[in-house]
Amino acid sequence: MSTPERPAVHVWDLRAIRRQLVTMGLDWDAPAYSEEDPAASTALPLPPPQIDLGPLARRKEDATRASPVSP
């Protein structure tokens, strides 16, 4: 997630949030998340992230062309 003020990445532990919501009677009507830790060493590796620079991609290309790299 990014914001107009500054880029940011936010990560939430949805399992922990839902556990807290259950104790408050505020959980939603959906199957519970697996208790298996997705970060465990037995978990399958995640695919490499794909980054979409959006409008910044063009700016990056323009900047690269404007200042050639010296050998």
Side-chain angles (χ1 to χ4, degrees):
M1 179 175 118
S2 63
T3 63
E5 289 101 36
R6 68 181 102 124
V9 174
H10 301 273
V11 179
W12 294 275
D13 182 346
L14 296 180
R15 286 171 183 77
I17 292 171
R18 282 197 72 185
R19 280 192 297 269
Q20 291 176 355
L21 290 172
V22 166
T23 64
M24 298 185 309
L26 298 174
D27 192 27
W28 53 92
D29 185 25
Y33 294 125
S34 165
E35 287 301 318
E36 182 179 331
D37 183 359
S41 60
T42 57
L44 295 174
L46 294 174
Q50 294 181 349
I51 300 172
D52 180 359
L53 296 177
L56 292 176
R58 177 143 174 102
R59 288 177 140 181
K60 180 182 173 191
E61 291 171 12
D62 292 345
T64 303
R65 276 187 244 133
S67 52
V69 177
S70 306

